[in-house]
Amino acid sequence: MDAGDGLTAEQLRARIEEQRALQATLTAQGEDALREIGEAEERQRLRRQLDVEETRSSHLGAVLYSRQRRRRSIDRDEAGALPSEESTFAKPKPQPTPGALAKTTTSYASNVVKRDFVWEVSGLSWLEQQLTQEGRECTNSELFEVDRTDECSTYMLAFSPRGGSLQHEMDDQFEMFVDDLCGTLALIRCADNYGTNLCYRFFVRDASGEFQPLGDTTRVAVPARGESFCFVGGPDLETESKGLFGLSFDALLGSEWVTDDAICFKVCIEEAVMMQHPDSSSQIRVGKTDVVYEHKPPSVEVPPSTLQADLLSLLIEGRHSDVSIEAVYGEAAPATFSAHTNILSQRSDVFAAAFSHEMRESATRTLTVTDVPPPALKALLHFLYTDDFDEVQKVLREEGSSEASSSSGGASSSGASGAAEQSIAQ
């Protein structure tokens, strides 16, 4: 049945007018929609143009910062037209003195700065869903500095639970790297076009509270560039499989590395920043050389000791003697020895007493010993002058003493010497 069946002519005319009015409205709305499409396309074009301008502004800002850094380096005399060694403005080198020994030390670690940074992520089981709401695949730590003399020696840590994109959308100076870079844990350095040398290692805290290493220590030379760029390093950035210790995020949540729904990372960094850029300096020299002149005293050869031989020579030759020791024993021929009271008094209490008492011996400067054979007395004197029992044995052998031939060793020598002193005491 037709839609107009049963309607009067007047009603049909009214319906026709309604359709014509609707068509006019739809036509107007279509034209408005077409105009809005054009406006949307214009806004899209402007957004793309804004992106280009912002990129250019960011680049110009990096160039400005690089130039400002260059200016500061020149002001600190770390770059630019530095005085040469021959320049009159150069710091004079220390001049060696006669007999000085020059030592040079070139150190390549004098500008190395060390820093440890700890970052804890709590509520780990909710992290993936919360990041989805934020529209990103990783979270990041706060910024931390390593070398405070360089504004670009600033870092952050990024953690992506599924090993996804490291674009964190937090700071433009920390996002200047390739968009498709993916990893679980990463160290990101502030964008810079100067070079730097880095040594870093990651750690994760276990259930006992101790930090365990994650991967090996990495040492890298980051080259200088024409434009500013971020350095990004991590244990699984270049591997197909992602995950801490090879664990998926689900397995990580139930592992020893997560305690109370939190995981704690630590990174140890050593950095040597470069204060010069190859585009602005003909040469870059990092090693620091120090020269030290050490005075070397003239060598003196110390001759061997002759004190024992010299004292024995005084006794044998009788030089500068001031007392005579006479041995009178039985039928043996008497023997007289020229000695020195100062030496005998110092070496023997018996002789010291004999020389100090007012007795005939002290007046005549002659001391007579009647109950000790001359060889034994001679052996005693040799011992007192040399403090060497070998001299006692030598004297007894040379004199052919019957006492020496009937006994041997230190016992007989000591006996002969003791007998002589006892005779003197009596």
Side-chain angles (χ1 to χ4, degrees):
M1 182 177 178
D2 190 78
D5 292 349
L7 297 178
T8 65
E10 190 63 29
Q11 290 175 330
L12 290 172
R13 291 189 189 98
R15 294 285 297 274
I16 291 172
E17 290 301 325
E18 290 176 359
Q19 293 300 317
R20 288 175 178 174
L22 178 60
Q23 293 170 10
T25 300
L26 293 175
T27 300
Q29 290 178 347
E31 292 175 352
D32 290 341
L34 185 61
R35 185 182 69 257
E36 291 174 354
I37 290 174
E39 293 174 353
E41 290 176 342
E42 177 64 12
R43 290 194 299 271
Q44 185 181 59
R45 184 187 67 81
L46 292 175
R47 285 196 299 272
R48 299 293 81 78
Q49 184 176 350
L50 177 60
D51 291 341
V52 173
E53 297 301 328
E54 288 179 342
T55 301
R56 290 176 179 174
S57 297
S58 178
H59 174 69
L60 290 174
V63 171
L64 173 62
Y65 170 76
S66 177
R67 291 175 179 176
Q68 290 173 337
R69 181 179 176 183
R70 169 72 175 169
R71 188 266 304 164
R72 289 192 292 270
S73 297
I74 293 174
D75 286 341
R76 293 194 294 260
D77 272 342
E78 296 172 346
L82 300 177
S84 63
E85 294 184 357
E86 293 77 15
S87 170
T88 56
F89 298 100
K91 181 179 179 181
K93 289 184 176 181
Q95 297 299 318
T97 58
L101 175 65
K103 173 189 175 184
T104 63
T105 302
T106 303
S107 173
Y108 284 89
S110 59
N111 64 331
V112 174
V113 178
K114 300 180 181 181
R115 173 72 191 277
D116 294 349
F117 179 74
V118 176
W119 177 40
E120 184 178 63
V121 181
S122 62
L124 193 64
S125 61
W126 287 98
L127 178 61
E128 191 173 12
Q129 291 74 29
Q130 301 286 33
L131 289 176
T132 300
Q133 297 295 338
E134 293 180 354
R136 57 181 184 152
E137 298 181 28
C138 72
T139 182
N140 61 277
S141 71
E142 294 296 320
L143 304 182
F144 62 94
E145 295 178 329
V146 175
D147 190 338
R148 298 182 183 276
T149 65
D150 185 352
E151 294 89 340
C152 285
S153 182
T154 307
Y155 295 80
M156 71 162 55
L157 290 177
F159 174 63
S160 178
R162 298 289 180 182
S165 172
L166 297 173
Q167 294 290 340
H168 46 81
E169 300 179 359
M170 292 295 292
D171 192 317
D172 291 343
Q173 292 296 315
F174 289 83
E175 288 194 321
M176 294 184 181
F177 52 85
V178 293
D179 293 340
D180 60 350
L181 190 61
C182 296
T184 307
L185 181 65
L187 175 69
I188 305 176
R189 188 179 190 269
C190 179
D192 188 16
N193 65 337
Y194 277 60
T196 189
N197 293 324
L198 287 175
C199 179
Y200 62 92
R201 191 173 195 182
F202 297 100
F203 297 83
V204 183
R205 190 167 60 191
D206 62 16
S208 67
E210 298 294 327
F211 282 100
Q212 303 300 331
L214 173 63
D216 298 327
T217 299
T218 301
R219 192 182 296 267
V220 59
V222 181
R225 309 177 180 88
E227 297 182 357
S228 294
F229 210 72
C230 291
F231 167 80
V232 183
D236 60 358
L237 296 184
E238 300 179 0
T239 61
E240 290 292 335
S241 61
K242 306 295 183 182
L244 300 180
F245 301 104
L247 300 174
S248 67
F249 183 60
D250 297 325
L252 179 67
L253 290 174
S255 70
E256 62 175 312
W257 310 110
V258 177
T259 303
D260 296 331
D261 203 24
I263 190 168
C264 191
F265 304 106
K266 182 174 78 169
V267 60
C268 300
I269 303 175
E270 298 180 36
E271 181 174 23
V273 300
M274 298 296 103
M275 304 306 295
Q276 294 175 282
H277 196 284
D279 290 346
S280 58
S281 177
S282 58
Q283 286 185 332
I284 294 180
R285 291 293 180 265
V286 180
K288 180 181 179 182
T289 301
D290 291 326
V291 180
V292 178
Y293 291 102
E294 301 173 347
H295 178 68
K296 183 179 180 181
S299 60
V300 177
E301 183 177 355
V302 179
S305 175
T306 60
L307 178 61
Q308 186 183 84
D310 293 340
L311 291 177
L312 186 60
S313 175
L314 287 176
L315 175 65
I316 295 175
E317 298 176 6
R319 288 183 288 110
H320 309 298
S321 64
D322 58 354
V323 68
S324 296
I325 310 297
E326 184 180 27
V328 179
Y329 183 77
E331 298 179 356
T336 302
F337 306 98
S338 299
H340 307 79
T341 56
N342 54 349
I343 296 178
L344 295 179
S345 297
Q346 182 64 33
R347 294 283 292 142
S348 169
D349 294 339
V350 175
F351 277 113
F355 295 141
S356 63
H357 292 153
E358 291 186 3
M359 51 189 298
R360 185 181 65 84
E361 289 83 358
S362 63
T364 61
R365 312 307 296 173
T366 300
L367 183 63
T368 302
V369 180
T370 60
D371 55 355
V372 175
L377 180 60
K378 182 178 179 180
L380 170 64
L381 293 175
H382 276 237
F383 172 74
L384 293 177
Y385 273 76
T386 64
D387 198 28
D388 186 355
F389 272 110
D390 289 342
E391 283 294 324
V392 175
Q393 296 174 341
K394 179 180 178 182
V395 169
L396 295 179
R397 285 195 300 268
E398 291 177 350
E399 294 295 331
S401 170
S402 59
E403 182 179 351
S405 62
S406 63
S407 61
S408 62
S412 66
S413 301
S414 177
S417 300
E421 279 201 334
Q422 289 176 4
S423 175
I424 298 169
Q426 294 173 355

